[in-house]
Amino acid sequence: MAEEYINFSQKNDTGIIKLNRPKALNALNYDMAEIFLKKLNEWDLENSIKRVLVYGEGNAFCAGGDVKNLFLSSNKNNLKEIFFQKEYTLNNAINEFKKDYLSIWNGIVMGGGVGLSMYGKYRVATQNTKFAMPESAIGFFPDVGASYFLSKLNRGVGLFLSLTGFAINARDVMDLGLATHYSDADKIEEIKKNYIQTGNIENTSKYPELDSIIDKNKNFIEDIFQNNLINIFYQLKNSKDEFGKKIYSHLLTRCPMSLAISIELLNNAKSKSLKECLEMEYQLCQHMVYRNDFDNGVDAVLVSKTHKPKWSPSSIENINFDEVDKMFEPHVEKLYL
Ligand code: QUE
């Protein structure tokens, strides 16, 4: 089953990984993560492999972890524990992989998909790239090491992306240094072929001619997304700016506890390594996936699709910040990455 959802092959001295679950936007499940990790460890030691290429079938690179399945199997097994152990271990293994590693971002790259690509050497964006950490929509938080790289961006932008889950395009991921290359989508087959044959990424790269909502509102984002949650909401609520108003009503739909957790997470992550961030996120996720907000969020977005989740607490005014602090205290066995 997992072999259908993820294919491994070797051409010349390139190891090729195709995420092949297009009906689920290539969402990563436990079995896929397990054989991905096993293959990567094998290829790290295999002399005939000089580099790795990762891409997705269809119009997504990868939309995230298979949270729908976590929800459906809910408290019947230990999947909520072992899935994240496997996924974060894989994220760390990609970071420690010694050979070149190229991911093709020709479509949706969200959540778990970010973790499969960000720590490799190269990421090619196209005009189809849609990059987001959207977990505040499902009562979760930016994980797979996102606290590491988002906390190292300008604070305003990192926090803006974490709280809103806003999807950014190829121009944004180039501006923010999240992608390493840009190419038109119709040159992607050529780029893959050339990388497989030579290890080079052909310089078809040019700067993407795309509008950027982030760039247009850069000063606003940097001004507002600096403070604590109460202050950010207060400023957005009173904003005369059209963008500010839109972001305010958007944030009112997101999980209040996710928002509070994400701010604290990014603050804590600022001085941490990727490994330390993954360990922190693992402790945190083992609280968050057992809260009702997670089940209600996943159900509302991915299962019954009502898009009207009921959050508890229902607004940021009712957040108990002592409870937020407590969630960061170690309470389960570490990953020992
Ligand atoms: C927020 C999320 C996720 C999401 C949507 C959100 C997420 C995720 C998926 C997803 C999408 C399509 C699938 C699938 C999962 O959507 O993490 O299995 O087929 O994995 O608003 O965090």
Side-chain angles (χ1 to χ4, degrees):
M1 178 105 134
E3 275 81 5
E4 284 169 35
Y5 286 164
I6 180 167
N7 308 148
F8 304 97
S9 59
Q10 178 170 357
K11 249 189 222 163
N12 303 335
D13 37 21
T14 302
I16 303 171
I17 301 175
K18 179 167 84 162
L19 303 170
N20 190 31
R21 196 188 178 191
K23 284 183 189 151
L25 303 175
N26 300 322
L28 185 75
N29 67 20
Y30 179 85
D31 291 343
M32 291 160 75
E34 184 176 45
I35 59 174
F36 195 134
L37 177 62
K38 217 168 122 201
K39 188 56 88 176
L40 201 63
N41 286 334
E42 211 177 285
W43 280 351
D44 215 0
L45 303 173
E46 171 58 58
N47 285 331
S48 70
I49 295 279
K50 299 275 187 275
R51 68 191 76 83
V52 166
L53 167 69
V54 189
Y55 69 99
E57 175 66 25
N59 51 18
F61 174 72
C62 169
D66 191 355
V67 286
K68 190 164 151 181
N69 194 36
L70 290 187
F71 164 82
L72 294 173
S73 69
S74 221
N75 307 320
K76 292 198 284 278
N77 54 36
N78 65 344
L79 196 60
K80 282 183 171 178
E81 184 185 337
I82 61 173
F83 172 72
F84 293 101
Q85 288 170 350
K86 198 60 84 181
E87 186 183 33
Y88 299 175
T89 303
L90 173 57
N91 301 147
N92 186 61
I94 293 168
N95 191 51
E96 293 183 350
F97 189 65
K98 292 187 214 54
K99 303 170 185 180
D100 287 359
Y101 182 108
L102 166 65
S103 304
I104 307 292
W105 279 357
N106 188 20
I108 294 166
V109 186
M110 298 195 319
V114 174
L116 296 182
S117 47
M118 191 61 80
Y119 314 115
K121 191 165 181 186
Y122 305 115
R123 294 160 300 287
V124 180
T126 76
Q127 69 270 32
N128 301 322
T129 302
K130 261 186 135 173
F131 176 106
M133 292 305 297
E135 292 86 353
S136 65
I138 57 164
F140 200 54
F141 63 90
D143 67 335
V144 296
S147 65
Y148 173 76
F149 68 82
L150 290 175
S151 66
K152 274 91 185 160
L153 296 178
N154 282 347
R155 178 175 163 80
V157 178
L159 197 50
F160 173 80
L161 296 177
S162 306
L163 298 184
T164 63
F166 193 88
I168 56 177
N169 65 21
R171 173 167 163 200
D172 297 316
V173 293
M174 291 300 288
D175 286 353
L176 296 172
L178 299 173
T180 57
H181 295 74
Y182 175 80
S183 163
D184 280 339
D186 60 13
K187 294 267 167 44
I188 284 294
E189 284 313 311
E190 221 175 295
I191 289 200
K192 280 155 70 176
K193 200 168 136 208
N194 196 32
Y195 177 75
I196 288 166
Q197 282 172 355
T198 68
N200 298 322
I201 300 170
E202 226 174 313
N203 208 8
T204 59
S205 285
K206 52 181 176 56
Y207 186 72
E209 301 287 332
L210 295 165
D211 275 346
S212 167
I213 292 173
I214 300 289
D215 187 61
K216 219 175 271 169
N217 297 284
K218 197 159 63 186
N219 294 337
F220 182 85
I221 290 170
E222 285 303 328
D223 278 353
I224 305 279
F225 286 84
Q226 288 293 340
N227 296 299
N228 66 45
L229 193 56
I230 305 290
N231 199 293
I232 291 171
F233 267 65
Y234 178 82
Q235 292 194 67
L236 288 173
K237 187 176 183 176
N238 293 304
S239 174
K240 302 273 182 286
D241 188 290
E242 276 313 304
F243 179 71
K245 286 180 189 171
K246 211 174 112 190
I247 294 304
Y248 179 66
S249 54
H250 175 78
L251 282 180
L252 288 176
T253 69
R254 297 272 151 161
C255 171
M257 187 54 94
S258 293
L259 301 179
I261 289 287
S262 299
I263 291 206
E264 191 68 18
L265 178 67
L266 256 62
N267 282 342
N268 289 344
K270 213 173 291 180
S271 56
K272 284 182 161 55
S273 66
L274 176 64
K275 254 186 202 167
E276 291 168 331
C277 286
L278 289 167
E279 291 282 5
M280 172 167 62
E281 291 171 5
Y282 181 64
Q283 294 296 322
L284 196 52
C285 84
Q286 290 304 295
H287 282 302
M288 292 296 274
V289 291
Y290 296 103
R291 298 182 71 256
N292 287 337
D293 279 348
F294 180 77
D295 283 350
N296 293 340
V298 173
D299 182 55
V301 172
L302 294 168
V303 185
S304 42
K305 304 190 182 176
T306 61
H307 294 280
K308 294 217 171 356
K310 205 168 151 17
W311 304 124
S312 175
S314 61
S315 73
I316 59 154
E317 286 78 18
N318 299 318
I319 296 272
N320 176 348
F321 284 92
D322 287 338
E323 191 190 333
V324 173
D325 286 344
K326 278 213 185 74
M327 286 219 238
F328 285 86
E329 286 171 15
H331 64 113
V332 291
E333 182 93 9
K334 280 168 52 120
L335 297 171
Y336 296 104
L337 295 174

